[in-house]
Amino acid sequence: MVDLSVNLCGINLKNPVVPASGTFGFGLELADSFDLNVLGGISLKGTTQEPRYGNPTPRVAECPGGMINSVGLQNPGIDALVGQKVPALRKVYDGCVIANISGFSVDEYRHCCSKANDCDGIDIVEVNISCPNVHNGGMAFGTSPQAAAEVTKAVKEVCTAKPVFIKLSPNVTDIVAIARACEDAGADGLTLVNTFLGMRIDIKQRKPVIANTMGGYSGRAVFPIALRMVYQVAHACKIPVMGCGGVASAADVIEMMMAGATAVQVGAENLRNPFACPEIIAALPAKLTELGIESIKDIISIV
Ligand code: SIN
């Protein structure tokens, strides 16, 4: 019997597979499709202080090996998250619930994280300083070590009861410098990477496919780059990493963990195949057995 469990900042996950924020709604949307309790954790849609309608459409563009999105943080706001979405999810799900918090100011991050900290159903607060689809917020905080540290410090002051993971952007020259700044400012863990800033042009109409011109590129094509960043950060920092970016199979999960991830988020693949996570989890024991691995936690950072 292969042991799939991992320990993330003292929280036991029955397996390391977690649907990534923005690809799995608030969880309940998928509850009629399969038993959510097979999932190690769920990272919920990025949430801001006020409800947001998001960006104008078109918001998605298909690409070889992936897709571009520019959703623009459409969400019902923090009060709906803690008052309705999480309590509803908790009626059907007993695994690790991760609130993903975004903001346009340090005060907004602090306000939302404080509410997430006070919400019983939330286990981990994931602070998104890497959304490429909004101006003056999101990624603006994740591209300088100083700004990343400022947000981390502010949210750690209010998140006294929950581990704080900072979700990093790959759209930087030195992700290790940002990761170290977050660790030094008190982060309990890191999630990486969010999407890569990209663009498509409709050559007949001579204009960008995405209404907002650019968006975040994700999908299988980014896996080797995400893996490289997970490897670099996991070897430079002591805090745990949730690896994310192009993961689409049990073998990808194993590779991410060998690179240094303690848990692994599946993103764009959920949009192509809503059953991706349960299928990956079901495939893990046989793949690990084939490799002679009895406990998945033994492979973390093995490379
Ligand atoms: C979005 O809502 O635009 C995507 C969120 C993100 O990339 O962080």
Side-chain angles (χ1 to χ4, degrees):
M1 181 81 173
V2 179
D3 179 9
L4 293 183
S5 68
V6 293
N7 187 297
L8 199 58
C9 293
I11 298 164
N12 188 58
L13 272 58
K14 59 192 87 165
N15 63 68
V17 179
V18 176
S21 175
T23 67
F24 209 74
F26 291 95
L28 212 55
E29 295 90 331
L30 275 294
D32 288 341
S33 303
F34 64 89
D35 180 6
L36 298 182
N37 287 304
V38 300
L39 302 169
I42 302 175
S43 180
L44 308 180
K45 173 68 188 143
T47 302
T48 51
Q49 184 165 338
E50 302 299 332
R52 286 177 54 84
Y53 291 106
N55 288 340
T57 57
R59 293 169 167 184
V60 292
E62 288 192 35
C63 311
M67 62 173 287
I68 293 177
N69 94 78
S70 179
V71 173
L73 296 174
Q74 180 180 335
N75 79 90
I78 188 69
D79 289 336
L81 178 83
V82 299
Q84 293 150 36
K85 300 292 185 187
V86 172
L89 176 60
R90 271 304 180 206
K91 290 198 174 127
V92 299
Y93 182 61
D94 65 7
C96 178
V97 170
I98 303 170
N100 182 288
I101 302 296
S102 248
F104 293 82
S105 69
V106 174
D107 279 347
E108 181 175 356
Y109 278 107
R110 199 195 322 255
H111 174 82
C112 294
C113 288
S114 167
K115 293 211 166 187
N117 183 64
D118 293 343
C119 176
D120 281 344
I122 293 171
D123 297 300
I124 290 176
V125 180
E126 181 173 66
V127 181
N128 182 354
I129 56 168
S130 46
C131 174
N133 301 327
V134 292
H135 300 292
N136 307 318
M139 197 172 83
F141 292 98
T143 48
S144 103
Q146 292 78 10
E150 193 188 351
V151 173
T152 306
K153 200 164 164 296
V155 301
K156 276 295 290 177
E157 276 165 17
V158 294
C159 280
T160 48
K162 313 263 158 90
V164 170
F165 276 64
I166 308 292
K167 186 166 182 180
L168 303 183
S169 172
N171 303 301
V172 294
T173 45
D174 183 1
I175 195 162
V176 170
I178 312 272
R180 281 203 175 117
C182 295
E183 180 174 43
D184 290 347
D188 300 291
L190 299 163
T191 303
L192 62 137
V193 292
N194 205 323
T195 54
F196 294 72
L197 195 60
M199 179 176 175
R200 297 301 307 270
I201 290 173
D202 181 328
I203 55 174
K204 285 196 189 134
Q205 296 199 50
R206 302 179 183 193
K207 61 174 204 178
V209 174
I210 297 274
N212 205 30
T213 307
M214 294 171 220
Y217 181 47
S218 60
R220 286 186 160 203
V222 309
F223 180 74
I225 317 173
L227 186 82
R228 182 265 295 173
M229 291 182 166
V230 166
Y231 176 85
Q232 287 178 312
V233 167
H235 285 73
C237 296
K238 292 190 178 63
I239 52 179
V241 166
M242 280 196 267
C244 183
V247 176
S249 69
D252 293 345
V253 170
I254 293 168
E255 214 174 320
M256 270 289 183
M257 294 182 73
M258 286 184 171
T262 299
V264 179
Q265 297 194 354
V266 178
E269 189 65 10
N270 289 320
L271 305 178
R272 204 187 64 78
N273 169 17
F275 300 98
C277 287
E279 287 174 10
I280 289 171
I281 293 161
L284 270 172
K287 194 77 203 162
L288 290 162
T289 303
E290 188 187 312
L291 297 167
I293 300 158
E294 285 174 6
S295 170
I296 201 164
K297 53 177 93 63
D298 292 346
I299 64 170
I300 298 168
S301 253
I302 208 166
V303 174

